[in-house]
Amino acid sequence: MAELPSGTVTFLFTDIEGSTRLWEQYPDAMRDALARHDELLRDAIEARDGYVVKTTGDGFHAAFGTADAGVIAAVAAQRALDDEAWPVPVPLLVRMGLHTGVASSRDGDYFGSSLNRAARLMGVAHGGQVVCSQATADLAREVLDDGVDFVDLGEHRLRDLSRAERVFQVSSPGLATEFAALSSVDAFPGNLPLQLSSFVGREREIARTVEALTSSRIVTLTGVGGVGKTRLALQVAAEVLPQFREGAWLVELAPVRDPAGVVDAFAADFGVSARAGQTLTEAMVEFLGTKQLLLVVDNCEHVLDPVADLLDEVSRSCPGVVVLATSREGLALDGERVVPVPSLRGPDVTDDLAVVAGSEAVQLFLERAAAVDPEFVLDAATVQGVVQVCRRLDGVPLAIELAAAQVPMMSPAELGRALDQRFDVLAGGRRGGIERHQTLRATIDWSYEMLDEAQRRLWARLAVFAGGCTRDAVEAICVGGPVEERAVLALVRDLVARSLVAAERGGNATRYRLLETIRAYGEERLVEHGETDALRDRHAAYYADLAWRCGQGLEGPERMEWGARMSAESENMLAAFAHAIDTDNLDLLVMMLESTPPNSPQTGYQLSFPVDSVLAAPGVEDHPGYPLVLMAAATAADRRGETRLAREYGDAALEVERASPVPRPYTLDLEATRCFLEGLIASSEGSWEDAAAAWLEAAEGYRRGGKFSQAATSLGSAASALSFGGRFADALPLATEALGLLRATSTPTMANITLVGALAMAVSPEDPTRARALLDEIQGDPAAENYGEATQLTLAAAVIGEWSLAARFATRSIPLLHWVNHRPYMQIVLTLAARILAPTDPESAATIQGAARALVLPVDTASTDERRGQSTQGGAESGVGLLADAARDTTRLLTDALGRERLRELRDRGAALGTDTAVAYTLSRLDVFLTHAD
């Protein structure tokens, strides 16, 4: 038996894929199989001087002194497993993960983040696959021969939600090479945020919460502020992510101050808007009604009643939605399971370093202290001070992190003495939640008192931001008095070093964010200084100007960069808009509304301001920007499906503008914008000819005004509309002209994927070679993940008979369309899917064709003319253009292959599937088609 490795160690974690099912089906045979599995793995590990740390169910945890030994052992184990004749009907498939890093050992076991990393790597692999971190690959490849190689699988976010890890697949003769995509966080839909630090401990709380989610559809984590409810909820969400088809979604309620804004916060995260005659709550419930997802609702305590009302409705009407909430108290809902989140387990009073280091509170202190002082270690000189700090801070994670940030300035013993001097409340016992809350506040008071006046004032002023900020914003808004402009960077750096401000690095600019508890404390101090109103005025002015500049930038060559900036600052812009409404600042409101016209490019987060509140503002009708407000209201009405109201607002905007003698305070061309909006309305009604005509008129207006990017977008939209109607010859010159305009204005072609897609579809019948080249160029571009573009590309590939490529685009578009519940486009893609499958899988094609025919939109008599209803009642085959041709071809092929009676039977079966089942069925059949095509 090898000795326990120390220092830098390579860890191997293994697990049998699908073992639970095998145990249920073949319990007796699995006993023998598992015994043989254990023997093979142990032999492979120990033959390479590895140390079997423990076995966990049907998996192994092993440690090696070198990276190459761990890799060779994993390869040998996989080969032995593959060669074995198993007593169960299927072979045992074992997934393996390797990571190399520093870890501490105690009593024959290890602890530290390196172990978690190796376990997470194993968790994203598939049976028969060996994956490793870059650290392991870099060390091992230096000494391994040519028989072993490392295949770069790219960067992946693992389920600890911290930094992305570059993952490599170990390749060697005799090992399988083809596997599905890794089951990392990136493989699932959702918006779980990247975490800036590692997750420490909480194994019991994770297990308890995961178990609660299996028995209840509403689980609430409760505890005091700073105890780690949010971080635990996010970690649990990552753990259970594979169980939810549509992933896990975070709704952050901390920025919501008005109870009436709760539903708006939910709707904003999902991009939901209400139709005519429908409340936003009804729209939200309708949207979630077909979804299977985990809804993480964070910071509910200050808006408890409206949150409870909404979640109660969701739980009753949305069977696939499971809720994990965090709050300082439960929601008091039927069926709710409350899971209290305790403080971290503290250390015993002992000199035994191994025992002290094993406690969760100390692990957190050590990791956070090492982040600010890499030379800090737990030794005989520091152990008692660390024990005192962690025990006196009652294991509250935020308090421990704040204390650990002081390590560069004082020893743990000094920290302990400071707590004795300043926190009388800590001397008491743990007598419930209120006492622990006082402990946290005292800790924050202590951090505040240790700062100088400039640092304190900047902390308070940073509380005005929502969703973080950049250095430029801090210098523009927070400077004054003791906060000098030349000292801002140093002051921010000081606050980051003390863990009071989080620095988030990504993109071109670092963002600074206050933890919610710290931000709330800063708000109180801002009130004490009497600066709240002035800071909010500055904040609103700065972000109104930024919104306007983003809107202008979206029309130029750096539109993707400006779109990313608008996305990053969306919370601040919404907060600025709300303050402008509260203060009746119509100048700022008009400036911000101009940043989001109806033809605003779809780049990242689609910002939408609550324009109806502006319509009700005092004096708005007399303001020179009133026509722009009306046009913004028209756009909002169209997004809600209220097309009649959209037309009324749009016409009124033009009428007021033409009659006003006052110079307008905006540059938006309302005439052209009204035409573009009419194109959107006509396309939603299924009238491609009218949509194309409106967009062509908009293009001319934009061109006359020198808005060439907007003109190009309008021309591309017209080309798409004509192509949808089968008029490819008429669409081709429009798409070509649109791209020419973009090139002339130095706008990147691939940043305008819609126009390239329009060109690909327009040239498809006449020049299939060029169409194929364009499609090949597009398919690797991330912009093609938009549901509209993916649908358009599916059509283009179908026109030139590239059925494999059409199937690939269809597998992109179908989940996206299902997510946004876009039934007209879903009918198009399912119709094309049936055409793709008809020659090789006629029974599946007939079933899918029936499902497509069932996707007929109900007629909205309040906003949609009779033509739309007539155009959908007969299904795709009753129309004209590409979709009708594809449907007729499919019917001909299926009638020849199946006969009319069998075709009718399968269509009826497909029509009865329901949307969820039809989507899953279609995707599965397309996957089979693509497997055979490859």
Side-chain angles (χ1 to χ4, degrees):
M1 174 70 70
E3 292 185 358
L4 190 70
S6 60
T8 300
V9 181
T10 295
F11 294 102
L12 168 67
F13 279 76
T14 76
D15 178 62
I16 300 175
E17 187 175 68
S19 61
T20 301
R21 175 177 50 82
L22 291 173
W23 276 105
E24 291 174 352
Q25 295 178 346
Y26 315 105
D28 294 331
M30 273 297 289
R31 291 188 185 92
D32 295 334
L34 187 60
R36 181 57 177 157
H37 159 274
D38 290 355
E39 181 180 358
L40 293 174
L41 261 70
R42 189 176 295 274
D43 288 346
I45 292 167
E46 294 180 351
R48 278 79 186 175
D49 295 326
Y51 184 94
V52 177
V53 180
K54 66 177 72 172
T55 58
T56 54
D58 52 22
F60 270 65
H61 167 202
F64 299 85
T66 63
D68 57 297
V71 172
I72 294 172
V75 170
Q78 287 288 18
R79 287 173 177 164
L81 292 165
D82 190 57
D83 292 340
E84 187 67 16
W86 298 103
V88 289
V90 294
L92 296 190
L93 297 177
V94 178
R95 52 184 181 167
M96 301 183 181
L98 292 147
H99 175 62
T100 304
V102 177
S104 301
S105 60
R106 173 172 56 88
D107 297 335
D109 200 354
Y110 291 90
F111 60 90
S113 58
S114 293
L115 278 80
N116 297 333
R117 212 66 179 163
R120 296 297 178 193
L121 283 162
M122 181 269 291
V124 303
H126 301 282
Q129 187 177 30
V130 181
V131 300
C132 68
S133 65
Q134 183 163 0
T136 301
D138 288 346
L139 290 170
R141 63 160 54 99
E142 293 180 359
V143 294
L144 289 175
D145 57 31
D146 294 337
V148 176
D149 199 4
F150 298 90
V151 180
D152 189 350
L153 301 181
E155 287 196 340
H156 292 265
R157 291 175 62 199
L158 307 181
R159 291 182 197 162
D160 57 5
L161 296 178
S162 58
R163 61 177 174 81
E165 178 74 62
R166 184 164 289 277
V167 182
F168 292 80
Q169 178 178 302
V170 179
S171 174
S172 183
L175 298 189
T177 58
E178 298 296 326
F179 298 93
L182 296 178
S183 299
S184 61
V185 173
D186 306 299
F188 300 91
N191 65 342
L192 296 183
L194 178 70
Q195 297 300 297
L196 302 177
S197 57
S198 60
F199 185 75
V200 177
R202 298 293 198 192
E203 288 84 3
R204 292 168 301 178
E205 286 74 28
I206 289 175
R208 189 178 300 136
T209 308
V210 170
E211 186 278 326
L213 289 170
T214 65
S215 59
S216 175
R217 288 183 42 238
I218 300 181
V219 175
T220 303
L221 302 179
T222 60
V224 299
V227 81
K229 300 184 294 295
T230 298
R231 190 66 176 89
L232 176 60
L234 293 174
Q235 188 58 45
V236 170
E239 297 286 347
V240 301
L241 195 54
Q243 301 176 22
F244 297 90
R245 183 184 63 227
E246 270 104 11
W249 294 81
L250 172 66
V251 177
E252 173 56 73
L253 296 179
V256 177
R257 292 292 176 263
D258 182 1
V262 166
V263 180
D264 293 317
F266 280 77
D269 277 328
F270 291 99
V272 172
S273 58
R275 299 192 309 270
Q278 185 183 46
T279 67
L280 191 55
T281 297
E282 290 169 344
M284 195 70 224
V285 171
E286 180 185 53
F287 174 81
L288 293 174
T290 60
K291 305 296 187 290
Q292 183 180 340
L293 56 79
L294 178 68
L295 194 57
V296 183
V297 187
D298 192 34
N299 289 306
C300 301
E301 56 271 357
H302 61 298
V303 284
L304 207 58
D305 289 340
V307 171
D309 291 342
L310 177 59
L311 294 183
D312 184 57
E313 184 65 25
V314 168
S315 69
R316 296 176 187 278
S317 306
C318 309
V321 175
V322 176
V323 175
L324 178 59
T326 73
S327 178
R328 297 188 185 183
E329 60 181 299
L331 301 174
L333 294 175
D334 290 340
E336 178 191 19
R337 178 92 171 263
V338 175
V339 178
V341 179
S343 299
L344 293 174
R345 181 169 53 87
D348 296 328
V349 180
T350 174
D351 291 327
D352 189 328
L353 295 182
V355 173
V356 171
S359 84
E360 293 177 338
V362 171
Q363 288 178 38
L364 178 63
F365 184 94
L366 295 179
E367 286 207 14
R368 300 304 187 257
V372 295
D373 183 0
E375 296 182 2
F376 180 83
V377 295
L378 185 72
D379 56 21
T382 59
V383 61
Q384 287 305 316
V386 171
V387 169
Q388 182 185 25
V389 169
C390 291
R391 288 174 61 84
R392 285 296 185 86
L393 292 181
D394 209 14
V396 175
L398 177 57
I400 291 172
E401 292 186 347
L402 291 170
Q406 312 303 321
V407 164
M409 292 168 279
M410 60 180 73
S411 69
E414 290 172 323
L415 278 170
R417 288 193 293 273
L419 291 175
D420 281 337
Q421 296 167 2
R422 296 179 181 268
F423 300 141
D424 292 339
V425 67
L426 293 177
R430 295 173 61 179
R431 295 190 292 271
I434 294 177
E435 288 293 325
R436 289 195 294 274
H437 179 65
Q438 291 172 345
T439 298
L440 176 63
R441 183 174 183 82
T443 304
I444 302 175
D445 282 337
W446 173 48
S447 296
Y448 186 81
E449 291 165 9
M450 292 182 68
L451 303 177
D452 62 32
E453 183 58 27
Q455 292 167 338
R456 293 179 186 179
R457 194 65 64 90
L458 181 58
W459 174 356
R461 292 174 182 177
L462 287 174
V464 77
F465 294 99
C469 59
T470 62
R471 176 186 169 186
D472 290 345
V474 177
E475 292 176 343
I477 297 170
C478 299
V479 168
V483 181
E484 298 179 6
E485 183 175 355
R486 61 182 177 81
V488 163
L489 182 59
L491 292 172
V492 171
R493 185 171 58 240
D494 291 341
L495 296 178
V496 170
R498 289 167 169 78
S499 295
L500 297 169
V501 174
E504 301 175 346
R505 295 172 181 85
N508 296 324
T510 299
R511 293 187 65 77
Y512 301 101
R513 184 188 301 269
L514 296 177
L515 297 175
E516 177 54 27
T517 305
I518 299 298
R519 194 191 65 79
Y521 184 93
E523 281 186 327
E524 294 180 3
R525 294 294 188 174
L526 196 62
V527 172
E528 291 177 8
H529 292 307
E531 294 185 340
T532 301
D533 292 340
L535 263 291
R536 287 181 177 170
D537 286 345
R538 289 189 216 167
H539 177 277
Y542 178 86
Y543 284 103
D545 178 71
L546 179 59
W548 185 87
R549 289 188 288 120
C550 285
Q552 300 300 305
L554 287 173
E555 303 304 328
E558 298 178 344
R559 65 188 296 181
M560 298 303 287
E561 291 80 359
W562 283 107
R565 190 165 185 187
M566 178 173 276
S567 176
E569 300 292 3
S570 59
E571 290 184 43
N572 277 312
M573 290 179 184
L574 289 170
F577 196 87
H579 182 69
I581 289 175
D582 291 342
T583 56
D584 297 326
N585 193 330
L586 293 173
D587 291 340
L588 290 188
L589 293 171
V590 169
M591 182 187 298
M592 299 185 81
L593 288 176
E594 189 175 3
S595 68
T596 56
N599 58 339
S600 180
Q602 300 283 331
T603 48
Y605 180 88
Q606 188 65 23
L607 189 61
S608 180
F609 294 117
V611 65
D612 289 345
S613 300
V614 186
L615 283 175
V620 66
E621 295 183 2
D622 300 323
H623 192 274
Y626 183 50
L628 181 104
V629 175
L630 286 170
M631 190 61 73
T635 301
D638 175 66
R639 288 173 179 165
R640 296 193 301 265
E642 300 177 21
T643 55
R644 180 175 298 170
L645 184 60
R647 285 189 170 109
E648 290 175 0
Y649 278 143
D651 292 342
L654 295 183
E655 182 179 348
V656 173
E657 183 181 58
R658 291 165 182 164
S660 175
V662 180
R664 58 188 184 185
Y666 51 86
T667 61
L668 188 68
D669 186 331
L670 292 195
E671 296 273 0
T673 300
R674 174 65 182 88
C675 292
F676 192 91
L677 179 63
E678 183 59 36
L680 292 176
I681 296 171
S683 67
S684 69
E685 295 173 348
S687 178
W688 302 115
E689 295 284 340
D690 291 346
W695 280 323
L696 284 173
E697 189 174 350
E700 287 304 310
Y702 287 132
R703 196 197 307 269
R704 285 193 302 270
K707 301 288 187 179
F708 298 113
S709 180
Q710 292 178 334
T713 301
S714 302
L715 286 170
S717 299
S720 297
L722 293 175
S723 296
F724 270 95
R727 291 177 53 187
F728 300 103
D730 295 327
L732 177 56
L734 298 180
T736 303
E737 183 181 1
L739 283 180
L741 277 175
L742 292 176
R743 294 190 179 105
T745 56
S746 301
T747 303
T749 298
M750 293 312 294
N752 296 275
I753 196 80
T754 302
L755 305 186
V756 182
L759 180 60
M761 187 158 56
V763 302
S764 294
E766 303 298 329
D767 194 347
T769 301
R770 186 182 181 196
R772 177 59 201 247
L774 287 165
L775 293 174
D776 286 341
E777 182 183 8
I778 289 171
Q779 62 177 323
D781 193 278
E785 298 300 328
N786 177 281
Y787 69 82
E789 279 66 67
T791 300
Q792 187 168 255
L793 300 174
T794 306
L795 281 162
V799 170
I800 60 176
E802 291 285 353
W803 302 115
S804 294
L805 190 56
R808 292 189 190 282
F809 284 128
T811 58
R812 290 187 188 184
S813 64
I814 289 173
L816 297 169
L817 293 169
H818 184 47
W819 175 251
V820 299
N821 196 29
H822 200 304
R823 292 166 68 92
Y825 276 14
M826 181 69 81
Q827 185 183 39
I828 291 172
V829 179
L830 291 190
T831 298
L832 292 175
R835 175 62 185 86
I836 292 167
L837 297 171
T840 59
D841 189 2
E843 294 215 345
S844 297
T847 304
I848 294 169
Q849 190 182 57
R853 287 183 162 197
L855 288 171
V856 177
L857 277 174
V859 179
D860 179 1
T861 56
S863 60
T864 307
D865 60 24
E866 296 180 358
R867 178 180 58 224
R868 179 179 176 187
Q870 293 168 354
S871 68
T872 57
Q873 295 305 313
E877 289 167 87
S878 66
V880 294
L882 177 59
L883 182 60
D885 291 342
R888 282 191 285 267
D889 288 346
T890 305
T891 297
R892 176 180 52 77
L893 291 169
L894 296 180
T895 301
D896 293 343
L898 302 171
R900 294 186 181 278
E901 189 61 35
R902 179 61 174 161
L903 174 58
R904 185 180 301 109
E905 177 185 334
L906 290 169
R907 279 175 169 173
D908 291 342
R909 181 184 302 174
L913 287 178
T915 305
D916 283 353
T917 304
V919 164
Y921 180 80
T922 303
L923 289 173
S924 68
R925 302 317 301 164
L926 288 174
D927 285 342
V928 171
F929 172 83
L930 288 170
T931 300
H932 292 158
D934 292 339

